[in-house]
Amino acid sequence: MVTQYKNLINGEMVDNGQWLDVVNPATEEVIGQVPSAGAGELDNAVAAARAAFKTWKKATFEERQAVCMAISGVIKENADELFRLLTSEQGKPHAQAKGEIFGAAGLAAAQSTLQLEEEIIQDDDTRLHRHRRVPVGVVGGIVPWNFPIMMAIQKIVPALMAGCTIVLKPSPFTPLTTLRIAELIADKVPAGTVNIITGEDVLGPMITSHADIDKITFTGSTATGKKIMEGASADLKRITLELGGNDASIVMPDADPKKVAEQLFWASFQNAGQVCIAAKRVYIHEDIYDELSQAIADFAKTVVVGDGSEQGTGVGPIQNKKQYDRVLELIEDAKDNGYKFLTGGDKDPSGTGYFVPLTILDNPPEDARIVAEEQFGPVMPLMKFSTEEEVIARANASEYGLAGAVWTADTEKGQEIAEQLETGTVWINEFMHLSPFAPFGGHKQSGFGAEYGKEGLKEFTYPQVITVKKDNVVA
Ligand code: NAD
C-alpha cells in the first residue's frame, strides 16, 4: 500500500477516509495518497484559522519570527528526505529539488526579518497622526505544481509575519512534500495558525468564495487567476495574484555567444521549462544569431532528459499529463506549420513518463502559437532581430508582463532597454534571481499585487490611521 499523507487542521494531522492518488511523472506510478477534502474539512480549517487569529494577531514580532524560523529550521533539518520526495512527485532533478528545498528554508528565514514599522505622519502641538498596518485576518493560499514548496512558503511566512492565519491548498498534482512539511511543523506552529488541506481543483473555488476567508493569495495560471478575481468579488476579498508569463530574453550583438549560450539554455529549460519566469521567447541580434543559436543547440545535445532521481539527469519530465499533452500540441502545431527545429520536434515521445525532447525552434514567426502562448515546457523559440526599437516592441507585444532579461556587455544600455520593458522584473545578464526583499509581481495579465519584500508583506495587511487632535477638548 502506498503512503497516505494527512491534512493539517488545527494542529492535528487528519483525514476523511477519501483519498486522491499522486503520480510520479517519470514513472506514472502512484506514489502516495492525500485526503480529498471538501466543504466540511474547509469549514473546519477556516474555523481553526479564525479562532487562532484572535491571539496570533496580537503576537509580537519576535514571537512571529520564532515560529517562522522554526519552519525554516524544520525544512533544512529534513532537507534530504524532502528533496527526494519532491523529485518523485514533481519530476525535477535532485539538484534542482534540493535547490528548491534549501531555497524555501532560506526564504522563510529572510522573510521572517520583515516588519512594517508604524509611521508617524504628524506629531505636533495640534495632532498626532499614526499610520499602522493591521493583519487582514484569515488567508486562503492556493499553490501550483511547478514549485510547490517555494510557493507554499512564500505564502505561509509573510501571512504569519503580518499576524494573519492561513488555510493553504497545494496543487492536487504535488501535495506530498507540502503535507510532509505540515506533519513536521504541526507541533512547531500554534494550532490553527497554519492549516494545509488537499483536494481536487473544486476545492479552489470553495476557498475563493468562503465567507470567512478575508484574503486570497494565489499563484497559478492567468485563466484561473481571472476566476479567482471573480469569485473574490462577492465579498470584496483582498487578492494577490501571481500568474503566467511569456518572458522575453533580448541578446544584444555585443554579448559573447560562448558565455551566454549555456545560461540562456538554463533560462529556458530549468525545471523542464515549467517556470513562470523562464525565458519563453529568446530574441537574438542578427549579427550573432547563427553562432549563438548553434551554440545553444550544441549545448542542448549534452543535456540528459530523464528521471530526476537518476544521476546525470539535467531535465526531468513534464509534471502532469494535461500539461504534457498541451506542450506536445504546441510542438505538433509548429511542425504542421513547417517551422524549423534546431533540436527536438522529430522524436516520438511515446513510452512511460511525461518526457518531451528538448525543443529549440529556429526563427519561428511572432504569431506562431509556440511563441505567442506560454509554453510552460522544454521549448525554446529563438528569434532574430535587427534593431533595438523593433525588439522592444516585439518583447512588449504580449498580454503578459511578468519578467524579462537583457544580455549585453554594456550594462548601461541594458538598463536603458530594461526601463522600456513592460514587466515587473528585468534582469541584465542573468535570469530568475529574486531577492526576498524586493517586490516580485506581474504587470498586465501576469498578476495583481506583489509578493516578497515589504511590499509583499503589506498585502496581508490593511492600513489603519489613528489621529489624535490634541488641542480641542482640554481647557
Ligand atoms: P492552475 O491555475 O491550473 O492551478 C493553480 C492552483 O489553482 C492549483 O492549486 C489548482 O488546484 C487551483 N485551482 C484550479 N482551478 C481553480 C479555481 N477555479 N479556483 C481556485 N483555485 C483553482 O496553474 P498550474 O497549472 O498549477 O500552474 C502553472 C501556471 O502557474 C503557469 O501559468 C505559470 O506561469 C503560473 N505560475 C506563476 C508564478 C508567478 O509567480 N507568477 C509562479 C509559478 C507558476
Side-chain angles (χ1 to χ4, degrees), residues 384-404:
K384 212 181 276 190
F385 77 91
S386 308
T387 70
E388 202 180 300
E389 198 186 4
E390 166 214 338
V391 78
I392 292 169
R394 287 168 74 182
N396 285 339
S398 168
E399 67 199 22
Y400 294 112
L402 194 56

Side-chain angles (χ1 to χ4, degrees), residues 263-428:
Q263 299 182 69
L264 278 165
F265 173 89
W266 288 116
S268 285
F269 290 103
Q270 199 194 103
N271 202 26
Q274 304 161 114
V275 188
C276 54
I277 48 177
K280 294 176 186 135
R281 297 177 290 155
V282 178
Y283 295 98
I284 304 173
H285 191 271
E286 59 190 359
D287 288 357
I288 58 166
Y289 182 86
D290 290 344
E291 188 184 348
L292 180 54
S293 56
Q294 195 53 53
I296 295 171
D298 288 346
F299 181 73
K301 287 172 195 144
T302 69
V303 176
V304 177
V305 178
D307 187 327
S309 67
E310 282 167 16
Q311 219 175 0
T313 295
V315 174
I318 297 281
Q319 199 284 321
N320 59 73
K321 177 79 166 67
K322 190 171 152 221
Q323 185 61 19
Y324 174 68
D325 289 342
R326 180 179 147 68
V327 173
L328 291 184
E329 183 192 310
L330 289 177
I331 293 173
E332 224 27 63
D333 177 77
K335 276 160 64 180
D336 291 348
N337 280 285
Y339 307 142
K340 215 173 133 200
F341 290 77
L342 289 172
T343 64
D346 51 347
K347 288 184 223 155
D348 177 6
S350 58
T352 307
Y354 309 137
F355 296 104
V356 173
L358 304 177
T359 301
I360 302 176
L361 284 108
D362 184 8
N363 208 22
E366 207 66 30
D367 63 355
R369 282 189 62 198
I370 209 156
V371 178
E373 296 179 22
E374 181 185 37
Q375 316 103 6
F376 221 61
V379 172
M380 184 187 200
L382 306 178
M383 276 86 65
K384 212 181 276 190
F385 77 91
S386 308
T387 70
E388 202 180 300
E389 198 186 4
E390 166 214 338
V391 78
I392 292 169
R394 287 168 74 182
N396 285 339
S398 168
E399 67 199 22
Y400 294 112
L402 194 56
V406 185
W407 302 80
T408 174
D410 180 350
T411 55
E412 288 302 317
K413 167 60 71 184
Q415 291 176 70
E416 203 183 300
I417 295 172
E419 286 172 10
Q420 296 173 75
L421 295 180
E422 298 163 354
T423 62
T425 300
V426 189
W427 296 282
I428 318 288

Side-chain angles (χ1 to χ4, degrees), residues 143 145-146 169 201 204 218-221 224 242-244 276 374 376:
V143 172
W145 44 259
N146 60 338
K169 185 192 90 61
D201 278 347
F218 169 79
T219 301
S221 63
T224 307
E242 293 291 355
L243 308 177
C276 54
E374 181 185 37
F376 221 61

